[in-house]
Amino acid sequence: MNLKFYSPKSDVLKKYIKGYYFIIEDNESDQVIYKTFPNNYNIVTVMQNISLHQSDNQIIITASKERNIFSNIVYRYKNPIEIFYQKQCNEITIYFKPLGLNFFIDKLEPFYSKDHTRAIEFDPFIDYKSEMEKIFSIQNREEQIEEFENYWLSKFIEKDFSMMKILIQEVETDININEIAKKNKISRQYLNKLFQKNTGKSPSEYRKIHRFRKSIADNNQSKNLTELSYENLFYDQSHFIKDFRELTRKNPKLFFKKVDTEKENVWLFI
C-alpha cells in the first residue's frame, strides 16, 4: 500500500491534527491486510464508493455497487484492529490529537457514547459528504491538500481547554490518578467524567496507551527492554511486557522485530 503521511501546512491545524494520508483507488491492486495498534488519537477516515463492516476487532472494506461517501471515526480501541481492504479505494484518513477534534465539533459525546467495537458513522456537518466528494475529485495533490485544510479551518471553533490540557499532562506522568484529582480539587469520578467526555476514554486507559506509544517512539534510543520500561514509567519490565501483550497480542521483542516503528503509521502487514 503506497501512501504518504502529511503534516498540516496550516499553523492552526498543526495544533490539533497530527497528520493525514491519502490512498488512491486502484482496481488492479491486490487485497491488503494489516493490523493497527491502540493510540490516543481520534482517527477519522473518509472513503469513496465503499462498504465498511466492523466487528470483533476487524474492519472489512469492500467496493460498493453504488457511488457513496462513507466516513467513520475510531476513538477507542484497546486491542489491535485488523484492517482488510478488498482493493484500494479513494481514502483520506486524519489523525486528530487527543483533544483536537473538540475544536471542530461542538459536541463529541454522541460519538463517544456509541459502541466503539462497531463502525461509527461520522457525518458531523451538513456539507461534509458533498465537500469530501469535491476534494476527492481534485487530481492535483497540492490543490487537494489546500482544499482539504481550508475545509477543516472553516469548521474551527475557539474553545478553552486549559484545565483538560493540565489533566492530560499530569496523566501522562506517573502521578497517582487519585492524587491528580485531589491536586486539581475535583473528585476521581469527575476526573473520569471529564476524560470520557473529552477524549472518549478513562484516565487510566489513556495513561496505559500513552506509555505504550511512547515506548514505541523511544525504542531505538533504548539499550534494552528494561531501560525502555523504566524510561516510560512502567513499574518494572514485567509490567511493561504485560501491558504490551494486552495492547498488541505480542511480546515486545517479537513486536519490534516485525513492525517498522520508524514510520508514522505503526502497522503490521499480514
Side-chain angles (χ1 to χ4, degrees):
M1 181 175 283
N2 184 22
L3 59 86
K4 181 179 178 181
F5 196 88
Y6 296 87
S7 295
K9 293 186 176 182
S10 161
D11 289 337
V12 173
L13 294 183
K14 282 178 183 176
K15 296 177 183 178
Y16 311 106
I17 295 176
K18 173 65 175 177
Y20 49 85
Y21 63 81
F22 296 82
I23 296 175
I24 300 173
E25 182 179 18
D26 182 359
N27 290 323
E28 302 302 318
S29 65
D30 295 327
Q31 68 181 32
V32 176
I33 307 174
Y34 68 85
K35 286 187 178 181
T36 180
F37 303 95
N39 61 53
N40 284 323
Y41 296 135
N42 279 324
I43 303 170
V44 171
T45 297
V46 191
M47 291 167 281
Q48 190 177 43
N49 306 331
I50 64 96
S51 176
L52 184 147
H53 176 72
Q54 179 176 350
S55 64
D56 301 324
N57 297 311
Q58 184 183 58
I59 295 176
I60 300 172
I61 300 157
T62 58
S64 172
K65 294 180 180 179
E66 299 179 357
R67 288 186 62 84
N68 69 356
I69 292 290
F70 182 84
S71 181
N72 74 307
I73 179 172
V74 176
Y75 72 89
R76 182 186 181 204
Y77 58 113
K78 297 186 285 185
N79 306 118
I81 297 180
E82 183 177 285
I83 313 292
F84 172 83
Y85 287 86
Q86 182 189 57
K87 67 179 182 66
Q88 289 183 196
C89 62
N90 287 328
E91 173 182 326
I92 307 171
T93 292
I94 318 158
Y95 286 69
F96 286 90
K97 294 179 181 181
L99 290 175
L101 197 51
N102 290 280
F103 290 86
F104 302 90
I105 310 294
D106 188 31
K107 291 183 179 180
L108 284 172
E109 296 99 308
F111 297 105
Y112 290 161
S113 64
K114 294 182 180 179
D115 181 359
H116 67 275
T117 66
R118 298 292 183 265
I120 301 173
E121 186 168 1
F122 186 75
D123 188 11
F125 315 115
I126 293 173
D127 64 347
Y128 182 68
K129 288 187 177 181
S130 61
E131 289 300 313
M132 292 300 111
E133 185 81 60
K134 290 178 186 176
I135 290 167
F136 278 125
S137 71
I138 299 170
Q139 299 301 311
N140 181 278
R141 180 51 51 84
E142 289 304 312
E143 291 178 12
Q144 197 176 37
I145 287 172
E146 183 178 3
E147 287 299 315
F148 171 75
E149 293 202 5
N150 284 340
Y151 178 74
W152 281 102
L153 283 169
S154 74
K155 304 302 181 184
F156 178 70
I157 309 166
E158 190 68 62
K159 293 182 181 180
D160 181 7
F161 273 88
S162 52
M163 183 177 182
M164 270 306 302
K165 288 177 181 177
I166 290 169
L167 294 174
I168 284 176
Q169 286 174 354
E170 293 182 346
V171 166
E172 289 178 353
T173 69
D174 61 349
I175 303 173
N176 181 279
I177 291 177
N178 286 326
E179 288 300 315
I180 292 172
K182 184 177 178 181
K183 178 181 175 182
N184 289 278
K185 300 180 181 179
I186 57 176
S187 67
R188 171 66 184 265
Q189 183 180 16
Y190 186 59
L191 177 61
N192 287 344
K193 184 177 179 180
L194 284 174
F195 260 77
Q196 184 61 46
K197 177 182 177 181
N198 295 302
T199 72
K201 51 183 70 71
S202 70
S204 56
E205 185 179 341
Y206 181 99
R207 172 177 281 178
K208 183 176 183 177
I209 294 171
H210 173 75
R211 283 174 177 159
F212 161 67
R213 281 284 167 172
K214 192 171 182 301
S215 69
I216 290 176
D218 292 349
N219 174 53
N220 291 328
Q221 283 73 49
S222 298
K223 296 177 182 177
N224 50 51
L225 293 183
T226 301
E227 183 176 285
L228 189 61
S229 62
Y230 284 114
E231 285 175 349
N232 289 283
L233 307 178
F234 291 93
Y235 304 128
D236 51 33
Q237 188 173 335
S238 296
H239 178 212
F240 170 62
I241 293 172
K242 175 178 176 292
D243 276 9
F244 220 93
R245 281 178 171 162
E246 287 179 6
L247 295 170
T248 69
R249 297 291 185 255
K250 297 185 181 298
N251 68 57
K253 285 185 178 179
L254 183 59
F255 178 88
F256 288 124
K257 183 179 179 180
K258 289 196 168 189
V259 179
D260 185 354
T261 58
E262 291 292 309
K263 292 185 176 180
E264 292 286 353
N265 299 308
V266 180
W267 295 345
L268 173 60
F269 284 91
I270 300 171

